[in-house]
Amino acid sequence: MSNGAADIIADVYAQCLLDLAESAQAVDDVETDLETMSSLLETEPSFQAFLASPYFAEQTKRDLIRRVFSDKLHRLTQNFLAVAIDHSRGRLLPEIISRYMQLYRQRNGYCTVTAVVAHGLQEDQRTKLAQDLAEAMHAKVDLDVRVDPSLLGGIILRYGDKMLDNSLRGRLSRTVDRITHSERRQQSL
C-alpha cells in the first residue's frame, strides 16, 4: 500500500472515530484511550508487530485486545480497534491514532505550527517560541519542531499552507535572487 493511500485510510478511520465519539459524547475518553494505545505501541514494538502481522488471525488479535483492555478502554474505543483489526488496519494504528489526535486538537482550538531549525531547541526555547506564536496568532499552538542542519541558522515556520522562511539559507537565496534579478534588469536596459 502506498504511503498516500495509507494516509487517506488513516484520515478516514480517524474522522469516523471522531464522528462516532462526538455522537456518543466520548471524545475526551477516546482521546485518553488512544494516548494510552499510542504509548503502548511506542514502548512495545512487538505488540505493534503482532497487530500488523498477517500471520495471526484477526480473532486472535481482537481477543488479545479485549483481554488486555476490557476494563481499561471505553467501549467505543474497543469496538473501533476491533473494526480496524477486522479490516487488516493493525499496521496503520499509529497513523490513525496520530491523525485522531490532530483532529482532536483542532476540535479544541489548537493549530499545529511546524518550526524547522538548524539545531535542536532547549525546552525553555520551545516553550517561549510556542508562547510567542500563540500570542501572535491569537490561538492555542501545538509546536512541532524539526531539525534541518542545512538551514545554517534561523527558522522556517509552516502553518497550514503558509510558510515564513527566516532561515539563513532562505535569506541568502533571496539575496542572490535579488542581485541576479537586478543585474538582468540592468542588462536589459
Side-chain angles (χ1 to χ4, degrees):
M1 180 181 315
S2 74
N3 208 20
D7 289 343
I8 292 169
I9 291 168
D11 285 346
V12 169
Y13 272 75
Q15 186 63 59
C16 288
L17 179 56
L18 181 63
D19 293 345
L20 290 168
E22 285 176 341
S23 295
Q25 298 180 345
V27 174
D28 293 333
D29 292 335
V30 170
E31 191 271 341
T32 301
D33 291 349
L34 292 181
E35 279 185 14
T36 301
M37 281 298 296
S38 178
S39 177
L40 179 64
L41 293 172
E42 284 179 29
T43 58
E44 296 294 333
S46 58
F47 181 60
Q48 168 62 34
F50 170 75
L51 294 176
S53 175
Y55 301 111
F56 294 98
E58 280 74 21
Q59 184 64 44
T60 303
K61 296 174 187 179
R62 280 194 318 269
D63 289 346
L64 178 67
I65 295 256
R66 193 175 5 258
R67 272 185 274 147
V68 171
F69 297 109
S70 66
D71 51 345
K72 294 176 181 74
L73 299 179
H74 190 278
R75 187 87 178 135
L76 177 62
T77 308
Q78 288 182 36
N79 290 341
F80 175 79
L81 291 172
V83 168
I85 289 168
D86 282 346
H87 291 90
S88 302
R89 304 300 186 212
R91 78 175 180 84
L92 293 179
L93 279 176
E95 290 83 6
I96 294 168
I97 291 169
S98 174
R99 185 63 185 134
Y100 182 92
M101 298 302 203
Q102 290 172 353
L103 292 170
Y104 175 84
R105 302 291 284 173
Q106 288 172 355
R107 178 183 186 272
N108 289 312
Y110 283 84
C111 56
T112 300
V113 177
T114 301
V116 183
V117 294
H119 306 284
L121 299 178
Q122 294 176 355
E123 192 57 39
D124 60 331
Q125 292 171 315
R126 279 177 88 98
T127 302
K128 174 80 169 108
L129 179 58
Q131 288 172 344
D132 290 348
L133 288 169
E135 198 173 292
M137 297 173 71
H138 305 291
K140 300 180 228 174
V141 171
D142 277 332
L143 185 61
D144 177 22
V145 177
R146 298 184 184 175
V147 176
D148 180 356
S150 71
L151 294 182
L152 305 175
I155 190 169
I156 297 174
L157 297 173
R158 289 191 179 100
Y159 168 67
D161 61 351
K162 298 174 180 74
M163 181 180 83
L164 171 66
D165 185 349
N166 197 24
S167 67
L168 185 55
R169 182 181 67 191
R171 286 185 268 168
L172 286 171
S173 178
R174 286 190 300 276
T175 302
V176 168
D177 285 347
R178 278 190 216 120
I179 291 170
T180 58
H181 183 71
S182 174
E183 288 175 357
R184 279 187 240 136
R185 198 173 11 170
Q186 287 178 355
Q187 290 173 355
S188 67
L189 295 176

